[in-house]
Amino acid sequence: MARTDDDTWEITESVGATALGVAAARAAETESDNPLISDPFARVFLDTVGDGVWNWYEAPELPREVVEAEPELPARMRSLVDYFASRTAFFDSFFLDATAAGIRQAVILAAGLDARSWRLPWPDGTTVYELDQHRVLGFKSSTLARHGAEPTCNRVEVAVDLRHDWPTALLQAGFDATAPSAWSVEGLLMYLPAAAQDLLFARVQELAAPGSRIGVEALAPNFADPDALAQRRERMERVQALMAKADPQRQVPRSDQLWYFEEREDVGEWLRRHGWDVTVTPADELMARYGREPAKDDEQSAPWNRFVSARRV
Ligand SMILES: C[S@@+](CC[C@H](N)C(=O)[O-])C[C@H]1O[C@@H](n2cnc3c(N)ncnc32)[C@H](O)[C@@H]1O
C-alpha cells in the first residue's frame, strides 16, 4: 500500500498491521521454551483479529519447496523473533532503569500494541503517555478492557499523528515539560520520512527537561543504500512468488513497502550534538548479550539497526 503524507490506518491495515506483526513475534517469544520476555497480552490482540499476514513470524513452518529454494529463510524468520524479543527486553530495561532513577513520566512514541502500561511494575505515581493514531490506541484499550486487564500505571492515551503537531496534544494531556521524562522510539523511524524524523527529535528536545532519558531503535547505517534496497526487494519478491505457488493463502509481509528509504542523520550523533550523554549498542551486540544471534547471511535487515540510549545532561 503506497504511503501518503496524511495516511491513517486500522490496526489490520498498512502501518497498523505492523503493530500486529510485532505482537505476533512477542507472542511467539512469550510462548517459547526459554523466553526472554513475557507479554501475555500479545496473544490477546492476535486472537481478537484472527489470522492474517501478521502471523508470518510466529509460524515458521514453510512449505518444503519454499525451503528448498530459500534454505536460509527459516533461520532468518527465527532470527527476527529473536530480534524483536531483544528489542522488547531492551526497552523494558530502559523504562525500569528510568523509573528506578526517579523518573515518573514515560512517553511511548508509536505505542502500537506495546503492552508495557499493563505489564511492567511501574512505581506508584508514574504516568505513561501512549502516542499513536487513534484507531490503533482504540483497538488496544478496548481489547484489553474487554479482557479485564488493568493498567499498572496512570495510562494516558494521546491520539495523534507523529508527523503533525503532537506536542500540543501531549501537553494538553497533562505532560509536564519541567520534570524529567523517559521516551521510547521503538519500531517507528522507518515509517517516518527523514524530515519528520528530524522534526520528531527537535520536538522531543523541546519537551525533555534535564535528567530525561530516551531509548531509540535507530536504523542501520545502510538502511537507504540503493544496492541493499534492491537486493532486499529482489529477495522478498522471490519469496512472495514461491509462496504464491506453494500456499496462495499465506501472504508474505512487505512492511518494507511502507518504509521511507531516505538518508537520515545518525540518531546518536544528533543527540550528542544536542547535549545528551549517549550509548549506542549495535543490534547484534544487544542480541548476543541476551544469548541470541542474528541470522548469518542477513546483511540488510533489522539485526543491523542500533539501540541508542541517552540521558540529557
Ligand atoms: C511496527 S509498529 C511498532 C509498535 C510498538 N512501538 C512496538 O514496538 O510494538 C509501528 C507503529 O507506529 C505507529 N506509527 C507509525 N507512523 C505513525 C505516525 N505518523 N503517527 C502515529 N503513529 C505512527 C503505527 O500506528 C504502529 O502502531
Side-chain angles (χ1 to χ4, degrees):
M1 190 188 294
R3 300 292 313 273
T4 58
D5 287 347
D6 284 317
D7 50 351
T8 63
W9 41 80
E10 296 286 346
I11 192 68
T12 49
E13 61 185 20
S14 181
V15 188
T18 68
L20 282 166
V22 183
R26 290 197 183 119
E29 178 69 18
T30 299
E31 294 156 16
S32 68
D33 288 341
N34 188 18
L36 198 55
I37 54 151
S38 172
D39 183 352
F41 302 111
R43 179 60 61 200
V44 177
F45 298 128
L46 297 167
D47 286 348
T48 304
V49 292
D51 272 351
V53 65
W54 42 83
N55 294 119
W56 175 257
Y57 292 110
E58 64 156 344
E61 300 79 26
L62 293 168
R64 192 173 39 82
E65 55 272 46
V66 174
V67 179
E68 275 169 13
E70 293 284 328
E72 74 298 340
L73 185 59
R76 214 186 290 136
M77 289 166 70
R78 267 195 306 278
S79 147
L80 260 179
V81 173
D82 283 338
Y83 174 81
F84 284 122
S86 305
R87 175 175 112 177
T88 303
F90 170 86
F91 284 101
D92 284 0
S93 305
F94 167 79
F95 280 122
L96 294 176
D97 290 350
T99 54
I103 293 177
R104 292 291 178 270
Q105 302 186 99
V107 185
I108 303 181
L109 296 171
L113 301 179
D114 169 340
R116 291 192 176 91
S117 293
W118 286 264
R119 65 181 182 79
L120 290 190
W122 300 98
D124 284 351
T126 306
T127 300
V128 179
Y129 297 92
E130 293 196 6
L131 278 62
D132 206 301
Q133 288 202 358
H134 77 278
R135 285 181 286 174
V136 172
L137 292 174
F139 168 78
K140 175 157 73 169
S141 45
S142 62
T143 301
L144 293 189
R146 265 200 314 278
H147 185 69
E150 296 279 349
T152 51
C153 57
N154 172 32
R155 173 178 179 266
V156 178
E157 273 186 14
V158 188
V160 286
D161 191 297
L162 291 164
R163 295 162 292 189
H164 301 159
D165 178 18
W166 54 267
T168 303
L170 180 61
L171 291 164
Q172 279 169 359
F175 178 83
D176 178 2
T178 64
S181 43
W183 300 72
S184 69
V185 181
E186 179 186 18
L188 170 63
L189 296 180
M190 56 292 252
Y191 301 104
L192 293 181
Q197 169 173 327
D198 291 346
L199 199 53
L200 184 93
F201 285 109
R203 286 169 163 161
V204 171
Q205 184 75 6
E206 294 285 306
L207 296 167
S212 294
R213 301 184 181 202
I214 189 165
V216 185
E217 182 197 29
L219 301 174
N222 73 346
F223 177 73
D225 177 73
D227 292 340
L229 176 58
Q231 272 182 40
R232 165 191 276 277
R233 287 215 168 116
E234 197 190 305
R235 192 168 74 185
M236 295 307 292
E237 274 154 24
R238 237 174 24 234
V239 172
Q240 259 183 327
L242 284 163
M243 282 302 293
K245 262 204 213 143
D247 182 355
Q249 297 305 315
R250 193 154 167 208
Q251 292 171 64
V252 180
R254 292 296 307 270
S255 46
D256 57 316
Q257 292 175 338
L258 304 168
W259 295 351
Y260 287 90
F261 289 99
E262 298 174 357
E263 289 295 336
R264 292 149 198 267
E265 180 166 0
D266 182 87
V267 173
E269 286 306 313
W270 192 97
L271 288 166
R272 267 186 207 111
R273 270 201 299 117
H274 288 81
W276 297 70
D277 190 3
V278 179
T279 306
V280 179
T281 309
D284 58 338
E285 246 178 76
L286 182 80
M287 290 171 77
R289 230 181 256 172
Y290 289 126
R292 307 294 166 109
E293 229 188 299
K296 298 239 176 335
D297 75 317
D298 211 350
E299 281 154 14
Q300 302 139 36
S301 61
W304 307 106
N305 287 343
R306 291 166 175 203
F307 287 86
V308 175
S309 78
R311 291 175 200 197
R312 187 157 191 189
V313 279

